């Protein structure tokens, strides 16, 4: 959204003025460009999916929906507005395959040896803001770090074998129903 609304200075990418719903539509389109595959996913039941989310799946141990859950992993309050059913199903069965670059987990080690594992909220050339594994907001100056690594494997467990196909379909239906706070 930032790139579309502010453009990229010094390049041909200009800034555009869109209202919130136009922007959401463009981002949804971009994020789903290679996964228009809703038809291939078995439709489930959103209410049962919510029960799995809060119960057996323990998703709220990492994710937040509305005012509930943890900030360790991305907020899912509007995930249904930006992702297709097929892509959500793959997030559950093979999380790494669907991981967006900004959601890659980071590991930072400060000069005095403190290790911080977290999820990025924002990053520029010199600094990074993240939520650590205790849900604390941390701001770091990269120059002050001994190590800064961006990991490529998702910390989310795969639910391929721990949820049944019916439960997975229900969770996808629930996620698709989440369209904004
Ligand atoms: C141990 C923590 C943990 C648990 C438990 C967990 N997740 Fe995740 N999940 C993550 C992390 C971290 C990410 C970000 C990295 C990635 O995209 O794989 C993520 C990413 C996602 C995404 C993609 C978000 C995006 O913006 O692209 C979805 C959808 C998702 N999880 C759904 C679920 C559901 C549904 C459950 C429960 C069935 C669940 N997760 C359980 C940690 C977790």
């Amino acid at each position: 959204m930032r790139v579309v609304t502010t453009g990229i200075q010094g390049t041909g990418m200009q800034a555009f003025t869109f209202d919130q719903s136009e922007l959401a539509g463009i981002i949804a389109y971009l994020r789903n460009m290679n996964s228009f595959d809703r038809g291939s996913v078995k439709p489930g039941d959103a209410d049962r999916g919510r029960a799995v989310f809060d119960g057996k799946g323990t998703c709220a141990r990492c994710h937040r929906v509305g005012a509930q859950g943890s900030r360790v992993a991305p907020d899912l309050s509007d995930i249904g507005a930006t992702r297709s059913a097929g892509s959500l199903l793959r997030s559950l069965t093979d999380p790494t395959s669907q991981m967006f670059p900004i959601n890659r987990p980071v590991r930072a080690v400060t000069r005095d040896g403190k290790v911080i594992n977290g999820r990025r909220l924002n990053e520029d050339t010199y600094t990074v803001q993240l939520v650590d594994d205790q849900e604390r907001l941390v701001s770091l100056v990269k120059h002050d770090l001994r190590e800064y690594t961006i990991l490529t494997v998702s910390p989310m467990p795969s639910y391929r074998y721990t949820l049944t196909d019916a439960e997975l379909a229900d969770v996808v239906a629930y996620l698709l129903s989440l369209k904004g706070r």
Side-chain angles (χ1 to χ4, degrees), residues 8-85:
I8 303 173
Q9 233 185 11
T11 74
M13 176 64 192
Q14 64 172 93
F16 291 89
T17 309
F18 290 119
D19 66 33
Q20 241 0 76
S21 68
E22 288 170 330
L23 254 183
I26 289 167
I27 303 305
Y29 175 70
L30 292 174
R31 290 189 116 185
N32 288 298
M33 260 171 31
N34 56 8
S35 50
F36 286 107
D37 52 3
R38 184 172 293 252
S40 64
V41 177
K42 199 170 96 186
D45 179 276
D47 288 334
R48 282 201 307 259
R50 179 205 286 256
V52 174
F53 189 97
D54 292 330
K56 187 175 174 187
T58 65
C59 313
R61 151 166 90 87
C62 298
H63 290 284
R64 200 169 179 82
V65 172
Q68 261 154 37
S70 163
R71 291 190 171 82
V72 167
D75 189 319
L76 299 179
S77 303
D78 54 9
I79 194 77
T82 57
R83 299 274 298 269
S84 72

Side-chain angles (χ1 to χ4, degrees), residues 3 7 16 19-20 24 27 37 46 52 83-86 101 110 121-122 124 127 138 156 159 168 170:
V3 168
F16 291 89
D19 66 33
Q20 241 0 76
I27 303 305
D37 52 3
V52 174
R83 299 274 298 269
S84 72
T110 59
L121 296 175
N122 250 309
D124 60 32
T127 67
V138 181
M156 174 165 151
Y159 287 89
L168 287 170
D170 292 343

Side-chain angles (χ1 to χ4, degrees), residues 31 49 52-54 56-63 70 72-76 78-79 82-83 87-89 91-92 94-105 118-119 153-157 159 162-163 167-168 171-172 174-175:
R31 290 189 116 185
V52 174
F53 189 97
D54 292 330
K56 187 175 174 187
T58 65
C59 313
R61 151 166 90 87
C62 298
H63 290 284
S70 163
V72 167
D75 189 319
L76 299 179
D78 54 9
I79 194 77
T82 57
R83 299 274 298 269
S87 165
L88 288 170
L89 181 62
S91 266
L92 297 177
D94 181 10
T96 297
S97 74
Q98 302 298 301
M99 184 162 62
F100 286 105
I102 188 65
N103 287 337
R104 288 179 186 146
R119 169 175 78 84
V153 174
S154 174
M156 174 165 151
Y159 287 89
T162 48
L163 295 181
E167 286 167 336
L168 287 170
V171 173
V172 169
Y174 172 58
L175 294 174

